[in-house]
């Protein structure tokens, strides 16, 4: 078979045949990783997914202190046991690591890529599959999040947003630098909640991603938000969706930010809705840091993170009586079960719902008696 007919990750494309290698074990392992990367690129997987998988495989190789053709299942057991017992990694993270090693071994064993033949010729042995159903965790339910994760209560949200506004006023009154970034972050947090956005969705917004809603003229130019960087499925581009504005205060915040404050940034010449002080777009770590700082200053529960704003959006719409299908479309969920996982209705809401149901039942039972009298 000619090289032009080989699969993208084939050994023949990454090792020069007939030439001795100075460090054969290291060079063959590096060539395997490069071939696996090309195979995943051909499957249209995201660069972030490919890079994180490669890091997991390299981490396992360091722990096992062996190359893939010497790996065994008990080495995987020891590695995963260490990750869970010593480093206390989350279940989802462990499954991602397991899947990375499984996928890499599956790639090496595929006859189309000829790595088993290459290893037999060079090292007298070959890789085997070391990740099996009996030594890996099973994904048995949709919800992967920590059980402690929850939505903000309404009072907690009010406290958070008020605190964010107070920091802007405090910095500005003191004549110090930093009031504009503080204003940006306050507006960003409110926007993330107002539209139920994920962290990267709000970060990747552009100033032109808003439009008018003919059925909601009171929101002006901010009646609908067009999400262009939604959560993607494996091997697919980012998912797009439109989110309708439901609260008038969110349109007012966006108008003030985009029209009055954003142009003051030295990097505002770009299309990014949330520019940073030095670059065209705010970083993910900055978003996390600001929310965590405000949360800790207020003494709020440490389980509240940026994604809790999205949980709050879905929960509060449900509590306010919005149609469940509408909430599902707003959140961009394919299935209603996904929306239900995010819903963390408060005990007060459940109590009110129960009370209304009981009152309606009693009222219906009393009506015939009243007619008889």
């Amino acid at each position: 078979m000619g090289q032009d007919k080989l699969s993208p990750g084939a050994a023949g494309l990454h090792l020069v045949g007939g030439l001795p290698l100075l460090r054969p074990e290291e060079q063959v392992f590096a060539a395997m990783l490069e071939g696996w990367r090309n195979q995943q690129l051909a499957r249209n997987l995201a660069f972030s997914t490919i890079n994180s998988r490669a890091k997991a495989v390299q981490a396992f190789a360091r722990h096992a202190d062996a190359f893939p053709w010497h790996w065994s299942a008990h080495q995987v057991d020891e590695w995963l046991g260490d990750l869970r017992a010593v480093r206390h990694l989350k279940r989802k993270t462990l499954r991602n690591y397991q899947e990375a090693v499984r996928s890499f071994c599956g790639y090496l064993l595929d006859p189309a890529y000829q790595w088993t033949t290459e290893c037999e010729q060079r090292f007298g042995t070959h890789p085997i599959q070391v990740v099996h159903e009996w030594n890996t965790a099973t994904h048995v339910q949709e919800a992967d999040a920590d059980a402690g994760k929850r939505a903000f209560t309404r009072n907690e949200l009010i406290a958070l947003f008020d605190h964010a506004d107070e920091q802007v006023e405090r910095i500005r009154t003191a004549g110090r630098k930093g009031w504009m970034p503080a204003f940006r972050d306050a507006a960003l947090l409110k926007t993330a909640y107002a539209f139920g956005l994920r962290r990267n969705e709000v970060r990747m917004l552009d100033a032109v991603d808003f439009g008018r809603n003919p059925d909601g003229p009171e929101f002006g130019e901010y009646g609908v938000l067009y999400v262009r960087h939604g959560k993607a499925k494996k091997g697919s581009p980012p998912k797009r969706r439109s989110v309708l504005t439901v609260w008038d205060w969110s349109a007012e915040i966006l108008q003030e930010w985009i029209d009055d404050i954003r142009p003051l940034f030295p990097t505002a010449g770009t299309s990014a809705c949330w520019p940073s002080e030095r670059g065209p777009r705010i970083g993910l770590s900055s978003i996390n840091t600001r929310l965590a700082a405000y949360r800790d200053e207020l003494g709020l529960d440490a389980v509240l993170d940026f994604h809790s704003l999205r949980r709050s959006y879905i929960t509060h719409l449900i509590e306010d009586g919005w149609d469940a299908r509408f909430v599902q479309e707003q959140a961009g969920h394919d299935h209603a079960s996904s929306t239900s996982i995010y819903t963390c209705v408060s005990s007060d809401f459940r109590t009110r719902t129960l009370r209304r149901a009981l009152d309606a039942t009693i009222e219906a039972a009393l009506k015939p008696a009243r007619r008889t009298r």
Side-chain angles (χ1 to χ4, degrees):
M1 182 183 291
Q3 281 203 355
D4 57 335
K5 296 182 180 179
L6 294 177
S7 300
L13 291 177
H14 300 277
L15 292 171
V16 180
L19 293 181
L21 302 178
L22 298 177
R23 302 181 305 279
E25 291 86 356
E26 296 177 11
Q27 289 174 278
V28 169
F29 183 35
M32 287 175 168
L33 289 172
E34 182 63 25
W36 186 42
R37 174 183 174 83
N38 285 358
Q39 182 240 26
Q40 293 177 95
L41 286 172
R43 293 166 54 199
N44 202 30
L45 298 186
F47 289 103
S48 58
T49 299
I50 297 172
N51 293 335
S52 64
R53 284 182 169 185
K55 290 179 180 178
V57 169
Q58 290 169 323
F60 172 58
R62 288 192 299 269
H63 184 275
D65 194 21
F67 292 103
W69 47 93
H70 293 305
W71 288 351
S72 63
H74 84 269
Q75 291 172 326
V76 174
D77 298 344
E78 292 175 355
W79 180 53
L80 296 176
D82 178 73
L83 292 177
R84 183 175 183 185
V86 179
R87 297 181 56 188
H88 305 291
L89 295 188
K90 303 290 186 181
R91 291 181 175 86
K92 182 177 181 180
T93 304
L94 287 175
R95 281 203 303 273
N96 289 340
Y97 284 7
Q98 294 165 0
E99 181 56 34
V101 177
R102 188 206 307 271
S103 176
F104 181 64
C105 291
Y107 154 73
L108 296 181
L109 296 177
D110 192 327
Y113 300 110
Q114 305 173 2
W115 284 109
T116 54
T117 303
E118 190 70 34
C119 290
E120 285 281 4
Q121 293 175 351
R122 291 182 181 273
F123 311 115
T125 184
H126 60 81
I128 61 173
Q129 180 59 265
V130 296
V131 180
H132 307 278
E133 61 181 19
W134 62 79
N135 67 345
T136 55
T138 304
H139 191 184
V140 296
Q141 61 183 17
E142 289 185 79
D144 272 328
D146 190 326
K149 298 296 184 181
R150 64 173 178 83
F152 286 89
T153 66
R154 295 177 189 265
N155 288 337
E156 287 172 337
L157 266 183
I158 293 173
L160 176 68
F161 293 157
D162 286 348
H163 184 71
D165 291 338
E166 289 168 2
Q167 302 315 301
V168 178
E169 188 62 27
R170 179 181 61 81
I171 297 172
R172 193 169 188 175
T173 302
R176 295 165 48 197
K177 295 181 179 179
W179 73 268
M180 288 195 302
F183 193 106
R184 174 203 60 203
D185 294 346
L188 184 150
L189 294 175
K190 295 172 186 176
T191 300
Y193 166 70
F195 294 93
L197 302 179
R198 299 178 178 90
R199 185 180 57 166
N200 194 57
E201 290 175 350
V202 70
R203 172 183 179 266
M204 296 303 295
L205 283 179
D206 286 345
V208 296
D209 288 341
F210 300 92
R212 299 183 67 87
N213 179 3
D215 297 318
E218 62 269 32
F219 302 124
E221 299 298 327
Y222 303 97
V224 59
L225 183 154
Y226 299 99
V227 177
R228 295 181 294 109
H229 295 272
K231 185 178 180 180
K233 295 182 179 180
K234 185 180 295 185
S236 66
K239 183 180 179 181
R240 294 174 175 242
R241 75 177 187 277
S242 58
V243 185
L244 302 181
T245 305
V246 296
W247 295 307
D248 52 4
W249 56 262
S250 59
E252 297 172 0
I253 290 170
L254 283 167
Q255 184 173 14
E256 182 180 13
W257 161 249
I258 293 178
D259 292 349
D260 301 334
I261 308 300
R262 180 178 171 274
L264 302 178
F265 273 74
T267 55
T270 65
S271 61
C273 185
W274 316 105
S276 73
E277 301 88 309
R278 303 178 185 85
R281 200 178 297 274
I282 188 175
L284 293 176
S285 60
S286 299
I287 296 175
N288 289 340
T289 300
R290 182 72 80 173
L291 176 62
Y294 288 168
R295 177 199 64 202
D296 295 343
E297 289 166 7
L298 290 169
L300 299 179
D301 194 337
V303 302
L304 296 170
D305 56 13
F306 193 89
H307 208 67
S308 294
L309 295 172
R310 178 171 166 85
R311 296 187 187 97
S312 305
Y313 172 78
I314 295 173
T315 297
H316 295 164
L317 286 183
I318 293 295
E319 288 186 347
D320 290 344
W322 290 83
D323 182 77
R325 178 64 183 181
F326 173 80
V327 178
Q328 178 185 338
E329 293 291 336
Q330 291 280 96
H333 289 152
D334 292 332
H335 306 287
S337 57
S338 300
T339 308
S340 66
I341 291 171
Y342 279 76
T343 306
C344 314
V345 294
S346 64
S347 58
D348 289 342
F349 171 76
R350 288 182 293 174
T351 300
R352 292 195 305 270
T353 302
L354 175 62
R355 187 69 264 164
R356 284 198 301 268
L358 292 175
D359 290 344
T361 302
I362 294 173
E363 179 68 21
L366 291 177
K367 281 183 179 179
R370 289 172 180 169
R371 293 196 190 98
T372 301
R373 288 196 296 272

